[in-house]
């Protein structure tokens, strides 16, 4: 698949401007509407729609940061997630309501499942950022996302991605982050988390999301606004039409964030979704959904912004469908130029299922693809012309050839990828070892991690402070 042409991207940009000025985007918050009106954006208070001009879009794009960094709990030793560079980072899947256990049972998600996934993901080397892998079904309503944030801050050391239902949730999360960093200023300088929200297609940003996005931007915390459309239901059935709608929502989010705080860190978010028009049910992994993903990411590159995408699967078990869909989406996201890809830890079955075994397999797939996407070094040393001549002419290399040459030893571990659960031994050895499948090896690895891995704990006083901050205020 080739990248979209500059002409096509310009046409999508122009179509977005037409859509914004003709149809507008609903923003169901009077405070947000006031912000738009103060900027001179046309606002219809009756319909709650905003109609930004090309000038408003250009002004916001001029102040959106080109780089966004989210740090781990221990900045000196944790790998930071840096968006906008050549670095690609992977964030775990999130928010599933069901879990496929290591025993092969489907269960409703619980807080204990969340803690187990926190341990597993902490140990997986190719998962660089955590979001809550599951939404425990034992609790919902006010305070739910605050408790999730507290559990993630307590149980994870890597950079985090939170969800929030309100501006009050955002303020509580900022209080938690400030407790760990020492102050709100220190938190803004080295953010522990990104807070992500979602619009409600078509072309609608709810009041609580708008005000939560404003609170996040005001604090200088990185944010994003996803737009999970269903092509043919909540977006045009054509990919170009769906991407134009996605792009319009992104532009409105950028204008609002920059109105609150010029320079507020925000990502261009390209999430994908299709619909089975026979049943009107959502699908995340059809070829058309992948086209939407790719084209949305290319629009983010067009604006030279930090880009947040997804890599999903609709499979319901650790099976060939899961491997195919995950690999295809990761490959497309990498090729299109995403900086952050969410989903590669068993984000399955329309984002409703998580699997411990599939999380381990997904980590392997990610490592495999990230290694394959490294550009080889081309130099006199790596061209190895002298080495080739020596192997071909000198008798000491006759038996083992390049394997006996010092050049091979020097480069043996450069960009080395080593399998964890994929099998590469010769056939007879594989049989002697019991002909174990990838799924069985992944399940065993998940069990081993859950039994032995321990994340670095917080001091008890901080743990208690986080749990207090998570409590709803009267």
């Amino acid at each position: 698949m080739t990248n979209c042409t500059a002409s096509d991207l310009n046409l999508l940009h122009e179509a977005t401007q037409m859509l914004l000025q003709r149809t507008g985007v609903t923003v169901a918050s009077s405070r947000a509407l006031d912000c738009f009106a103060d900027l001179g954006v046309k606002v219809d208070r009756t319909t709650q729609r905003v109609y930004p001009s090309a000038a408003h879009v250009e002004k916001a794009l001029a102040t959106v940061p080109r780089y966004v960094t989210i740090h781990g709990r221990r900045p000196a030793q944790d790998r930071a997630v840096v968006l906008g560079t050549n670095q690609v980072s992977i964030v775990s899947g999130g928010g599933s309501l069901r879990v496929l256990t290591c025993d092969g049972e489907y269960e409703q998600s619980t807080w204990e499942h969340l803690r187990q996934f926190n341990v597993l993901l902490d140990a997986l080397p190719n998962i660089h950022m955590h979001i809550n892998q599951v939404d425990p079904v034992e609790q919902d309503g006010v305070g739910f996302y605050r408790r999730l944030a507290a559990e993630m801050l307590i149980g994870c050391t890597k950079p985090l991605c939170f969800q929030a239902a309100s501006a009050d949730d955002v303020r509580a999360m900022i209080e938690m982050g400030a407790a760990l960093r020492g102050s709100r200023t220190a938190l803004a300088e080295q953010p522990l988390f990104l807070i992500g929200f979602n619009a409600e297609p078509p072309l609608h940003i709810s009041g609580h999301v708008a005000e939560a996005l404003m609170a996040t931007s005001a604090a200088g915390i990185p944010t994003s606004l996803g737009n999970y459309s269903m092509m043919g239901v909540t977006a045009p059935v054509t990919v170009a039409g769906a991407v134009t709608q996605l792009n319009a929502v992104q532009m409105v989010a950028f204008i609002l964030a920059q109105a609150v705080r010029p320079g507020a860190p925000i990502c261009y978010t390209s999430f994908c979704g299709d619909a089975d028009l026979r049943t009107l049910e959502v699908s995340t992994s059809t070829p058309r959904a992948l086209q939407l993903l790719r084209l949305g990411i290319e629009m983010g590159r067009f604006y030279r912004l930090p880009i947040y995408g997804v890599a999903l699967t609709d499979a319901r078990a650790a099976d060939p469908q899961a491997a195919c869909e995950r690999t295809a989406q990761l490959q497309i996201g990498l090729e299109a130029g995403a900086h952050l890809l969410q989903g590669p830890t068993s984000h399955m079955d329309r984002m409703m299922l998580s699997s411990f075994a599939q999380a381990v397999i997904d980590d392997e797939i990610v490592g495999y693809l990230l290694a394959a996407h490294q550009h080889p070094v081309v130099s006199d040393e790596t061209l190895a012309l002298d080495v080739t001549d020596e192997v071909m002419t000198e008798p000491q290399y006759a038996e083992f050839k390049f394997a006996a040459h010092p050049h091979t030893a020097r480069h043996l571990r450069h960009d080395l990828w080593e399998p964890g659960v994929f099998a590469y031994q010769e056939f007879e050895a594989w049989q002697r070892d019991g002909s174990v499948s990838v799924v069985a090896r992944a399940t065993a690895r998940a069990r081993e991690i859950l039994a032995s891995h321990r994340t670095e704990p917080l001091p008890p006083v901080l743990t208690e402070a986080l749990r207090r901050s998570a409590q709803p205020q009267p």
Side-chain angles (χ1 to χ4, degrees), residues 196-216:
F197 308 99
N198 286 299
E200 299 174 2
L203 299 172
H204 181 98
I205 301 173
S206 69
H208 67 269
V209 164
E211 294 184 9
L213 187 149
M214 292 168 68
T216 306

Side-chain angles (χ1 to χ4, degrees), residues 43-54:
V43 174
D44 185 325
R45 298 279 180 173
T46 302
T47 62
Q48 298 184 306
R49 287 187 186 175
V50 296
Y51 300 85
S53 68

Side-chain angles (χ1 to χ4, degrees), residues 156-209:
C156 307
T157 60
K158 296 178 182 180
L160 298 172
C161 180
F162 291 157
Q163 304 172 76
S166 67
D168 286 342
D169 282 349
V170 169
R171 285 186 278 271
M173 292 168 184
I174 291 170
E175 182 180 339
M176 295 179 205
L180 289 181
R181 281 286 187 253
S183 70
R184 291 174 180 247
T185 300
L187 177 65
E189 290 172 350
Q190 289 190 320
L192 285 157
F193 46 78
L194 174 152
I195 305 180
F197 308 99
N198 286 299
E200 299 174 2
L203 299 172
H204 181 98
I205 301 173
S206 69
H208 67 269
V209 164

Side-chain angles (χ1 to χ4, degrees), residues 287-307:
R288 289 194 317 148
L290 272 63
Q291 291 175 27
L292 191 161
L293 171 68
R294 185 185 189 101
L295 189 53
I297 291 170
E298 290 177 353
M299 284 305 297
R301 298 290 288 194
F302 175 79
Y303 298 116
R304 301 186 302 279
L305 296 173
I307 306 162

Side-chain angles (χ1 to χ4, degrees), residues 68-82 128-130 153 156-161 181 186-194 222:
V68 171
T69 303
I70 304 100
H71 297 268
R73 187 200 292 170
R74 307 159 303 181
Q77 62 189 98
D78 294 325
R79 177 191 184 275
V81 168
V82 184
H128 310 118
M129 188 176 191
H130 290 194
L153 288 166
C156 307
T157 60
K158 296 178 182 180
L160 298 172
C161 180
R181 281 286 187 253
L187 177 65
E189 290 172 350
Q190 289 190 320
L192 285 157
F193 46 78
L194 174 152

Side-chain angles (χ1 to χ4, degrees), residues 51-193:
Y51 300 85
S53 68
H56 294 118
V57 170
E58 292 305 317
K59 182 179 179 181
L61 288 173
T63 59
V64 174
R66 267 42 187 175
Y67 306 97
V68 171
T69 303
I70 304 100
H71 297 268
R73 187 200 292 170
R74 307 159 303 181
Q77 62 189 98
D78 294 325
R79 177 191 184 275
V81 168
V82 184
L83 311 182
T85 67
N86 290 330
Q87 182 192 86
V88 178
S89 297
I90 304 298
V91 59
S92 57
S96 65
L97 301 179
R98 294 187 299 278
V99 170
L100 179 57
T101 70
C102 290
D103 295 323
E105 300 294 330
Y106 291 92
E107 299 178 352
Q108 288 190 319
S109 300
T110 66
W111 290 101
E112 181 57 28
H113 288 137
L114 176 70
R115 298 183 189 101
Q116 290 172 344
F117 271 108
N118 285 348
V119 170
L120 181 66
L121 298 174
D122 186 74
L124 296 179
N126 299 305
I127 306 305
H128 310 118
M129 188 176 191
H130 290 194
I131 194 171
N132 55 291
Q133 183 70 46
V134 302
D135 276 356
V137 300
E138 302 125 305
Q139 177 184 338
D140 201 352
V142 177
F144 177 70
Y145 288 111
R146 298 174 217 179
R147 183 177 175 188
L148 277 175
E151 291 294 338
M152 299 297 290
L153 288 166
I154 291 167
C156 307
T157 60
K158 296 178 182 180
L160 298 172
C161 180
F162 291 157
Q163 304 172 76
S166 67
D168 286 342
D169 282 349
V170 169
R171 285 186 278 271
M173 292 168 184
I174 291 170
E175 182 180 339
M176 295 179 205
L180 289 181
R181 281 286 187 253
S183 70
R184 291 174 180 247
T185 300
L187 177 65
E189 290 172 350
Q190 289 190 320
L192 285 157
F193 46 78

Side-chain angles (χ1 to χ4, degrees), residues 85 87-89 297 301 307-310 332-341:
T85 67
Q87 182 192 86
V88 178
S89 297
I297 291 170
R301 298 290 288 194
I307 306 162
Y308 179 8
V310 290
I332 284 173
L334 290 170
E335 288 182 353
H339 303 111
L340 181 66
L341 287 164

